[in-house]
Amino acid sequence: MVGTHLSDPEQQPTSRDPVADYLATVSAQLPGPIAARATVTDELRDGLLEALEAHQARGCSPQEAAGAAIAEFGDPRMVAAGFGPELAAVQARRVALGLLATGPLVGLAWIAAVAVNVLPPWRHQLTGPWLALPLVGLALAVACPALGLTVAATGRLGRRLGKGLAHRSALPPTAAAVAGAAAMLADLTLLAIIGGQTLASSRLQVWAPVVVAAGASLVRVTLAGRAARRCLATRATLP
């Protein structure tokens, strides 16, 4: 009969996969880089599927097995919060390593620009806009310890310290954000100095190194600012 046919459960549209819904909820709560979040989600999926198969082997229906497996893992928000410190550390370490890799390159570009144009620092003089150069040194004095702390807290040393650096979940993203802000200060100061030098005199004779250095600083200002904001946003999600 038509009524019987329509009421047949096998003919009803399949409901959404509760495991997929659970994983989607967890994933939406996870902080940190996309790749790291995907890795966590894949690990959770494998664990859920193993638990689901175990419950089905005991005679549970697919829906009952899915519900039991999800119940074992617990509230998705609590699960996501449990992974927060680990993902925050991954993000902070990537930011720190990126700044450590680009810092010397940007610095060498600026040294080359100063050298080929024989600008005041090359003559051991600080005049005009170059009086702001100590700000760069101050930024480096802040960034270097912050980067070292981030790398230490997220590497083997941090794990060996146990309840020390490794368990202070807010420390790595905070230190990485401070390092990113310091890098921005250094680059913006150098850009302002070279802009002031250009306006104050015609001493710039070889423009190619200056353009390269300024371009490198502009790129790093953008990336460092974005990384610092993400680290702070991740830190805000931590308990």
Side-chain angles (χ1 to χ4, degrees):
M1 295 178 64
V2 174
T4 304
H5 175 73
L6 290 176
S7 63
D8 186 349
E10 294 182 359
Q11 301 298 325
Q12 295 293 334
T14 57
S15 60
R16 294 183 62 183
D17 182 358
V19 171
D21 289 343
Y22 180 87
L23 291 172
T25 303
V26 173
S27 180
Q29 301 291 325
L30 291 173
I34 294 176
R37 298 201 308 264
T39 299
V40 169
T41 303
D42 289 341
E43 291 178 358
L44 288 173
R45 180 182 293 106
D46 292 341
L48 279 168
L49 292 178
E50 287 180 5
L52 188 148
E53 291 174 357
H55 286 290
Q56 284 184 317
R58 299 188 186 102
C60 295
S61 68
Q63 289 298 322
E64 291 173 340
I70 289 172
E72 287 181 8
F73 276 71
D75 182 83
R77 292 172 180 79
M78 296 296 293
V79 173
F83 284 100
E86 177 183 345
L87 293 175
V90 170
Q91 182 181 48
R93 187 173 182 84
R94 289 184 179 182
V95 171
L97 294 178
L99 291 173
L100 285 171
T102 59
L105 297 177
V106 175
L108 288 173
W110 279 106
I111 291 173
V114 169
V116 297
N117 285 282
V118 197
L119 294 173
W122 195 254
R123 303 193 307 272
H124 305 288
Q125 299 174 349
L126 291 182
T127 59
W130 293 98
L131 290 172
L133 192 60
L135 280 177
V136 177
L138 175 63
L140 292 176
V142 172
C144 290
L147 291 173
L149 187 58
T150 303
V151 173
T154 57
R156 293 182 179 179
L157 177 60
R159 288 191 292 271
R160 289 176 181 174
L161 290 175
K163 293 184 179 180
L165 296 178
H167 285 238
R168 297 179 184 176
S169 57
L171 178 59
T174 302
V178 169
M184 289 178 61
L185 174 62
D187 286 315
L188 289 173
T189 300
L190 288 168
L191 289 169
I193 288 174
I194 204 66
Q197 178 71 42
T198 304
L199 294 175
S201 69
S202 58
R203 191 177 291 276
L204 297 179
Q205 299 176 357
V206 185
W207 279 93
V210 176
V211 172
V212 170
S217 280
L218 285 172
V219 170
R220 197 169 66 156
V221 164
T222 302
L223 296 179
R226 186 181 304 169
R229 288 193 299 272
R230 288 178 176 173
C231 285
L232 291 177
T234 297
R235 181 187 184 280
T237 66
L238 298 176

